[in-house]
DNA sequence: ATACTAATGACACTCAGTGCCGTTAGGGAA
DNA sequence: TTCCCTAACGGCACTGAGTGTCATTAGTAT
């Protein structure tokens, strides 16, 4: 479903076969989280339910917190490529808007699953805290693109601020989405992006660049 | 220094006297964090160094992660009041800029301490993750003000997005500050705010409000 | 059948955080 | 002074996440 990933695709012909997959573990765990809550579900519960040892669990996921993330890294690579392939004529914010919307596009059959997953990630304190670390890579992808496009260093104030802003816009839209069972995520994201649109205007960027030469 | 707090100010006349203070524990801990690193310092180390029992430590701070925060909640109350006292004539972004700068103003004697503290909070993964939970209250204060000022619900997309944006601006500025030993925090914050300035313009807000009546 | 190899799972360990409960050290009242 | 009341302390035992070590298992190739 969400985890297509590397499991089971091409197993090397040597050694014992893996006894489960990332996707399987993730789905089992999410079911338990929904049923009993995140905190009340122990890693041992998950391992038992999945029919593996507790120790083996930690060979699939570095922590309990990573379970609901699916293959975020692969999606993120997709966004990076999408950004890189944007035509230069397009305004920067429009490039970002399009790629970020693409990053958040899922087949309708997965909407409910995605909603439950994001509800966990944004409403369980432990997971919310952990999410910061994932979003740091997301921001980095945005910042790299902005930096390249504006010809500024990646760690410059402007790319970093724009990356934070994009993240904030997305998370605000996600909260709206989670709060309204009938809402469409992409519509909300689109609306949120229109709020900021071309907020960093060209003159400011030019002035900034020359003052930091 | 940073923790003026409630300790020692007016102890009720009954019962055993506390054997330490929040400020004392916090400073001791920060010293150990600087010397040996956050992860390598155990709660037991801190308690021993402070001359209290491990169990007592957890009566002062709910977790090891809370040690570097000082009395963030009191500062935050200050920012809430500052925002509430802003003259109505001032543009919204200007109100936010002024109050947020005020929130980040410290006496020069504390700059070095503040720098080391923030370096921990933003660069130690565990603390960075935990910071999300603190910043949620910070964003809430900003969102409340924006909502009041624009006559929108607090959980509306606009206040939430603006709150996220302000947070992002601040954190991007903080990163710049931490990366340059000679930089001035307030200057960087000011510069970062100028980048976004009056980004949510009046027409957009009006259109948004009427479409969500 | 045997050898090689990768995944597994059991065990022991560290550390954060919590519940429980007896102990300690203050101040007030007799 | 002595006794009492009370809040803070601190020891103990426990849960649960995460890690290092190592023997075992189950595949494939020879």
């Amino acid at each position: 479903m969400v985890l297509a990933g590397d499991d089971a695709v091409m197993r090397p012909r040597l050694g014992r076969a893996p006894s489960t997959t990332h996707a399987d573990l993730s789905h089992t765990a999410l079911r338990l989280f929904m049923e009993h809550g995140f905190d009340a579900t122990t890693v041992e519960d998950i391992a038992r339910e999945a029919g593996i040892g507790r120790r083996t669990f930690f060979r699939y996921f570095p922590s309990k917190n990573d379970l609901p993330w699916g293959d975020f890294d692969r999606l993120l690579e997709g966004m990076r490529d999408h950004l890189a392939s944007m035509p230069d004529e397009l305004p920067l914010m429009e490039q970002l808007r399009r790629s970020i919307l693409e990053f958040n596009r899922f087949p309708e059959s997965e909407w409910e699953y995605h909603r439950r997953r994001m509800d966990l990630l944004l409403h369980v304190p432990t997971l919310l805290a952990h999410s910061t670390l994932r979003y740091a890579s997301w921001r980095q992808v945005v910042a790299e693109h902005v930096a390249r496009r504006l010809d500024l260093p990646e760690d410059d104030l402007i790319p970093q601020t724009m990356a934070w802003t994009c993240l904030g816009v997305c998370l605000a839209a996600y909260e709206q989405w989670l709060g309204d069972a009938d809402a469409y995520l992409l519509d909300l994201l689109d609306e949120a992006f229109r709020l900021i649109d071309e907020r960093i205007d060209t003159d400011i960027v030019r002035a900034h660049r020359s003052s930091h030469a």
Side-chain angles (χ1 to χ4, degrees), chain A:
Chain A
M1 180 94 50
V2 168
L3 293 177
D6 30 22
D7 309 304
V9 179
M10 281 288 276
R11 189 165 62 81
R13 47 203 112 298
L14 237 47
R16 179 176 178 170
S19 44
T20 184
T21 62
H22 287 86
D24 216 59
L25 267 182
S26 179
H27 288 131
T28 302
L30 252 63
R31 186 166 51 73
L32 294 179
F33 293 161
M34 310 291 180
E35 284 174 20
H36 312 113
F38 180 81
D39 291 320
T41 307
T42 71
V43 171
E44 197 171 347
D45 293 336
I46 300 166
R48 191 183 323 110
E49 188 77 9
I52 61 170
R54 203 183 87 93
R55 189 61 184 84
T56 299
F57 170 86
F58 287 107
R59 292 206 181 85
Y60 283 81
F61 290 91
S63 84
K64 189 180 155 187
N65 297 329
D66 291 296
L67 281 163
W69 282 93
D71 40 9
F72 183 80
D73 290 341
R74 206 174 52 84
L75 282 180
L76 193 52
E77 277 314 303
M79 188 168 90
R80 191 196 303 270
D81 296 344
H82 198 273
L83 276 170
S85 74
M86 280 282 138
D88 285 343
E89 318 75 88
L90 238 47
L92 176 55
M93 273 314 287
E94 180 61 15
Q95 297 182 330
L96 292 172
R97 194 183 64 83
R98 289 193 192 179
S99 291
I100 290 172
L101 256 59
E102 205 50 45
F103 177 78
N104 286 285
R105 188 183 300 281
F106 297 93
E108 186 165 353
S109 62
E110 291 180 17
W111 288 357
E112 263 319 292
Y113 181 75
H114 188 220
R115 188 183 275 273
R116 286 200 296 268
R117 203 167 62 86
M118 293 309 295
D119 187 61
L120 280 175
L121 287 175
L122 298 183
H123 294 336
V124 173
T126 312
L127 292 174
L128 179 60
H130 183 76
S131 72
T132 305
L133 306 177
R134 295 298 188 117
Y135 290 141
S137 351
W138 188 92
R139 283 189 290 110
Q140 182 57 21
V141 169
V142 175
E144 276 170 19
H145 180 78
V146 174
R148 191 176 342 112
R149 175 64 194 261
L150 298 182
D151 190 29
L152 289 166
E154 281 172 19
D155 62 352
D156 182 90
L157 194 56
I158 288 185
Q160 292 296 321
T161 302
M162 290 195 74
W164 267 111
T165 302
C166 289
L167 178 62
V169 164
C170 289
L171 292 177
Y174 260 99
E175 281 296 347
Q176 298 296 308
W177 182 55
L178 293 175
D180 177 357
D182 300 324
Y184 291 100
L185 176 59
L186 292 183
D187 290 348
L188 286 167
L189 283 168
D190 198 59
E191 182 181 355
F193 268 96
R194 290 192 196 295
L195 289 178
I196 56 167
D197 208 81
E198 271 295 340
R199 70 198 333 172
I200 307 276
D201 81 29
T202 319
D203 291 341
I204 293 184
V205 171
R206 193 173 307 115
H208 174 88
R209 190 186 299 115
S210 62
S211 77
H212 285 68

